[in-house]
Amino acid sequence: MDRLLFGDNQFFGVNHMSEEKARAQAMRFQDIDAVMGVLDAAYDEGITTFMCTTHGRIAQVCDRVRANPERYKDFTFFPGMPYAHKYADAITENGMLGAVRQFLPEEGLVNAALRGGRSLAKKDIEGLTTLLVDAEMAMFRGLRTPVIWLQNVVVDLLLGLGFDDAFVIFAEHVRKRYDAEPGFITMNLPRLLDTLERVGVDNPIVCSNINKIGFRMSGGIQGYQEALQGRRFRAVAMSVFASGAIPPREALEWIYAQPNIESVVFGASSRANIHNTAMLVDELAPARA
Amino acid sequence: MIKVGIVGLGKMGLSHVAMIRAHPDVSVEAVVDSTGYVLDVLSKYTGLRTFSGMQEMLDAVELDAVIIATPTRLHAGMVRTALEAGVSVFCEKPLTLTSAESVELAELARSRGLVTQVGYHNRFVGAFQEVKKLLDAQAIGRVTHVLAEAYGPVVLKPKGSTWRSQRSEGGGCLYDYAAHPIDLVTWYLGAPTGVGGTVLGSVFSAETEDEVFSTLYFPDGVSGQVSVNWSDESYRKMTTRITLWGTQGRIHADRQECQVYLREEATAPEGYEPGWNVRYTTELTDEVWFYLRGEEYSAQLDAFVKRVQNRDLDGTNSFASAAVTDRVLELMVTDAAAGPRTLATGDAPVPVAPAPARTRAGTAVALLQHGLQVARAGGRTLVARLRKSS
């Protein structure tokens, strides 16, 4: 994994600090050219991995990248799924089966429909889960997706419910069908590591809030530090600036004082911010062996 | 360890199971749902003990508390059953469809020494708690007006038929959405003395309202305005906002931040100064043992668990406080059915599309009030005519 990953919250009106700011960003990035402008700026800074949701508009980014293979030859997607809103809306509108139908992969429609229908009837979560992953991955066909994430709302729901098998099902399917590494996003890192270890998902890639002020680090900042010190997993830190509550240098100095941070994911809307973050990381991150 | 059962496995019920199952002081003994599908999946993959009815669960399992997350229409009966079985209750909002019933349940719980709580999670949002602290400290002086808003994308097309689209089930924008900002207002200002100008408007829904507008009247000339719309696609998710004006300043808060303007004359609480002050969620939010969809959901369950452990009958969001909110919702239904009070034509007011009343008693009240209003307005018209002719 790259040391810096570029996130997509800013493109979709997600801001954990201010709803006004979130709305202003949603307006600015309504135009896909504005999104591509920022992605190009990051790419030109050498940040070639885009960690994104499967929001409908990401499909447009995929189209742009596919259409210009020369320009984007190193462009890498780390898709995160499911885009929860999309399913919540679909289930409200069309019920469970209707929602599954709506998101069927384009290819093998009949097969997929049968698989979905049969899985539903048998309460076979494996069939259903893999089907939904395939549906989500359709937009990335032909693109590089070496890591595929399960989103935190789903990870943490499954984690709390004790639905441990789902993590194994997801990991195996992603490895087998996409030759990709499974990633798990969580707000409850220590607890998730316990569960993944128990079900045998070895050395998992896990993305969680890791920041100096302990913002949204359930299990406590100390629990996170102990995990980084002693557990076998590949850590991706998000929310390192705690939505702007910690100044960039201070935030990253603290991050790189922690052991075993493999990657940092960050979002930014301007070329200047992207450049500054990249410079700081170059300066502060320990050299890779 | 307190032993908990969860009734109703919709979106909120499942979230409750996930959060409370992770709580270090709780053991989830059983879950209940009327549809077999979710139950079977849960029992197959998580080992949870399942029941298709609440009474069966209460008969078979010894519990300290239940969490009820079923459609609102079912709350009253289920809460009563639980309380009569000697079990403390956390119930999703709104508590019931009539405030009289809510009051009765609050009394029943108190007489049996049982803990009650309702899922108005906004009272556990750091920014909204900060507002409460500021008001208690009289930071903005005497409050004169409050604006309570909520907007979001729930009903965006003229279809869909879940319980949320049925008024008789306790669905609709008023009970499902507007209840949140209204509950915050009753927390901040207490019970209103009356409501007026209520509009329960439909945007897409055939059987219930999608937008709610109303004026609330409080003692000493304090007023409030409610503006809620769940058919607003320009919001990514539900956004609740509170703005309060006072003689010494103004407070504006949503779940992310609390913006406060204090006049020079104001007595600024510690950490605040005259002019603008902003507190963000990052500094207002306490850590929770488990995070799912927002700290406030975990925080309210933790508060409930602690109260059950300590048999603490008075706490945030008891049935008694939820009954106050139920009463306001009820008044608004009645008020909306009565239609406009002052007509441009000067004729007696006629209800424009009266909303279906919730209960038989509600209908009777509405009709009675309407009758009184017509009589009063008729009287006014008569007086006006007499004046003109004299």
Side-chain angles (χ1 to χ4, degrees):
Chain A
M1 279 189 295
D2 290 338
R3 213 154 50 179
L4 258 185
L5 314 175
F6 198 66
D8 72 346
N9 266 353
Q10 68 282 5
F11 298 144
F12 300 117
V14 181
N15 185 294
H16 300 299
M17 202 81 152
S18 152
E19 287 185 350
E20 283 162 38
K21 200 169 167 194
R23 184 163 46 238
Q25 285 174 333
M27 285 180 206
R28 175 177 160 199
F29 291 116
Q30 188 163 303
D31 179 3
I32 197 69
D33 288 335
V35 173
M36 281 317 293
V38 174
L39 285 175
D40 284 340
Y43 190 76
D44 295 340
E45 285 288 338
I47 304 162
T48 55
T49 305
F50 182 36
M51 184 165 157
C52 58
T53 57
T54 52
H55 192 288
R57 292 184 53 234
I58 293 293
Q60 294 175 272
V61 175
C62 294
D63 290 341
R64 294 282 181 105
V65 173
R66 249 191 305 261
N68 204 341
E70 247 338 275
R71 163 84 171 110
Y72 298 117
K73 67 181 192 313
D74 294 323
F75 203 107
T76 303
F77 290 88
F78 280 10
M81 59 190 55
Y83 185 64
H85 280 291
K86 199 165 68 180
Y87 287 96
D89 293 351
I91 290 169
T92 315
E93 291 270 320
N94 304 317
M96 199 76 116
L97 191 56
V100 172
R101 289 210 176 101
Q102 190 180 331
F103 293 110
L104 289 177
E106 296 158 33
E107 54 176 344
L109 196 73
V110 175
N111 271 343
L114 280 173
R115 191 164 129 212
R118 213 163 35 219
S119 299
L120 265 183
K122 283 171 57 195
K123 287 141 193 167
D124 163 18
I125 291 306
E126 180 157 359
L128 210 56
T129 308
T130 56
L131 179 65
L132 289 174
V133 171
D134 294 347
E136 294 273 28
M137 284 302 289
M139 70 168 79
F140 298 98
R141 199 164 297 134
L143 298 168
R144 198 199 312 244
T145 56
V147 173
I148 299 173
W149 299 102
L150 198 57
Q151 286 282 14
N152 57 294
V153 175
V154 173
V155 167
D156 291 333
L157 180 69
L158 296 169
L159 180 67
L161 289 175
F163 216 129
D164 301 352
D165 291 355
F167 299 125
V168 181
I169 293 167
F170 174 75
E172 282 177 356
H173 185 63
V174 159
R175 286 206 178 103
K176 229 186 287 167
R177 175 127 185 193
Y178 297 95
D179 196 21
E181 268 297 299
F184 302 89
I185 309 177
T186 183
M187 296 289 176
N188 306 283
L189 175 75
R191 177 180 286 266
L192 179 68
L193 291 177
D194 289 344
T195 298
L196 291 179
E197 190 177 294
R198 194 170 57 240
V199 298
V201 179
D202 182 46
N203 197 22
I205 298 178
V206 183
C207 175
S208 60
N209 275 22
I210 302 180
N211 55 63
K212 191 180 179 176
I213 61 171
F215 178 58
R216 289 217 170 123
M217 296 167 67
S218 288
I221 196 162
Q222 201 189 334
Y224 278 57
Q225 288 178 306
E226 282 165 14
L228 287 167
Q229 189 69 57
R231 307 293 295 261
R232 184 175 147 81
F233 76 110
R234 300 171 64 190
V236 176
M238 65 175 174
S239 209
V240 295
F241 307 120
S243 298
I246 316 169
R249 175 171 285 277
E250 187 185 333
L252 287 168
E253 269 171 357
W254 185 86
I255 282 289
Y256 290 117
Q258 311 305 311
N260 296 324
I261 305 269
E262 186 165 332
S263 291
V264 166
V265 56
F266 80 111
S269 308
S270 75
R271 190 174 284 268
N273 277 347
I274 294 168
H275 177 76
N276 291 342
T277 306
M279 290 289 102
L280 271 174
V281 168
D282 274 348
E283 181 195 330
L284 299 169
R288 288 260 166 94
Chain B
M1 274 293 171
I2 68 159
K3 299 194 191 84
V4 173
I6 292 117
V7 187
L9 297 172
K11 191 169 121 191
M12 208 59 238
L14 276 177
S15 299
H16 285 317
V17 177
M19 288 182 281
I20 201 104
R21 208 180 183 196
H23 196 289
D25 300 335
V26 172
S27 113
V28 173
E29 299 290 312
V31 292
V32 177
D33 199 83
S34 59
T35 58
Y37 196 86
V38 182
L39 276 193
D40 290 349
V41 171
L42 275 189
S43 126
K44 181 172 170 184
Y45 288 93
T46 70
L48 280 165
R49 203 169 161 193
T50 60
F51 293 90
S52 56
M54 183 171 165
Q55 191 62 57
E56 287 98 297
M57 174 179 72
L58 291 170
D59 290 342
V61 188
E62 197 185 309
L63 296 173
D64 299 302
V66 291
I67 295 174
I68 296 174
T70 53
T72 312
R73 180 177 60 82
L74 302 173
H75 288 178
M78 289 184 155
V79 167
R80 184 179 300 279
T81 304
L83 293 174
E84 281 169 353
V87 169
S88 288
V89 178
F90 178 101
C91 183
E92 262 313 317
K93 46 66 55 173
L95 181 49
T96 72
L97 295 175
T98 64
S99 60
E101 212 155 14
S102 294
V103 168
E104 209 180 300
L105 293 172
E107 279 161 8
L108 176 63
R110 184 160 283 274
S111 72
R112 305 210 165 197
L114 296 168
V115 173
T116 61
Q117 194 171 316
V118 176
Y120 283 112
H121 59 262
N122 280 305
R123 293 195 189 194
F124 288 87
V125 169
F128 292 132
Q129 288 177 335
E130 186 70 5
V131 173
K132 175 75 171 149
K133 278 184 216 152
L134 289 165
L135 293 174
D136 288 347
Q138 299 200 302
I140 58 167
R142 185 173 59 80
V143 172
T144 58
H145 186 73
V146 59
L147 171 62
E149 299 167 280
Y151 307 104
V154 178
V155 176
L156 302 173
K157 281 182 207 155
K159 59 167 191 164
S161 58
T162 66
W163 69 269
R164 285 178 206 284
S165 60
Q166 307 289 322
R167 173 164 288 190
S168 53
E169 299 277 308
C173 180
L174 177 67
Y175 272 64
D176 208 45
Y177 228 57
H180 283 294
I182 291 166
D183 181 72
L184 280 175
V185 169
T186 62
W187 190 34
Y188 296 146
L189 302 179
T193 52
V195 306
T198 306
V199 174
L200 301 181
S202 165
V203 180
F204 297 113
S205 297
E207 293 170 64
T208 187
E209 71 287 337
D210 300 314
E211 44 178 27
V212 175
F213 310 105
S214 188
T215 302
L216 309 180
Y217 299 93
F218 296 89
D220 304 320
V222 180
S223 61
Q225 216 107 48
V226 174
S227 174
V228 177
N229 181 337
W230 76 358
S231 299
D232 186 345
E233 202 189 30
S234 71
Y235 288 83
R236 195 173 64 88
K237 54 184 191 177
M238 184 182 190
T239 299
T240 302
R241 286 203 293 248
I242 291 284
T243 313
L244 292 127
W245 286 262
T247 51
Q248 304 298 336
R250 171 188 186 269
I251 303 173
H252 175 81
D254 57 35
R255 65 186 298 277
Q256 318 267 42
E257 60 183 325
C258 180
Q259 304 174 346
V260 186
Y261 185 87
L262 298 177
R263 295 179 56 175
E264 280 296 336
E265 300 80 8
T267 324
E270 206 190 319
Y272 282 82
E273 54 186 45
W276 282 107
N277 300 261
V278 187
R279 295 283 178 279
Y280 292 105
T281 176
T282 41
E283 50 189 313
L284 297 172
T285 305
D286 292 330
E287 188 188 306
V288 290
W289 84 93
F290 188 81
Y291 180 100
L292 185 66
R293 298 172 53 203
E295 286 86 356
E296 60 275 21
Y297 295 101
S298 304
Q300 66 173 356
L301 287 178
D302 187 49
F304 179 66
V305 169
K306 293 212 164 75
R307 287 178 56 205
V308 171
Q309 282 171 330
N310 303 326
R311 287 265 158 186
D312 174 9
L313 302 192
D314 300 303
T316 306
N317 287 341
S318 68
F319 279 8
S321 81
V324 174
T325 299
D326 285 345
R327 178 69 184 142
V328 181
L329 301 177
E330 216 167 60
L331 290 174
M332 284 166 69
V333 172
T334 307
D335 187 53
R341 301 213 156 204
T342 312
L343 292 184
T345 56
D347 293 339
V350 176
V352 186
R358 233 154 246 288
T359 59
R360 257 180 247 146
T363 314
V365 171
L367 284 173
L368 184 66
Q369 294 205 337
H370 176 60
L372 282 173
Q373 211 175 52
V374 171
R376 254 186 249 134
R380 277 201 297 272
T381 316
L382 185 64
V383 171
R385 279 200 197 126
L386 285 172
R387 276 200 192 126
K388 237 186 209 168
S389 61
S390 62

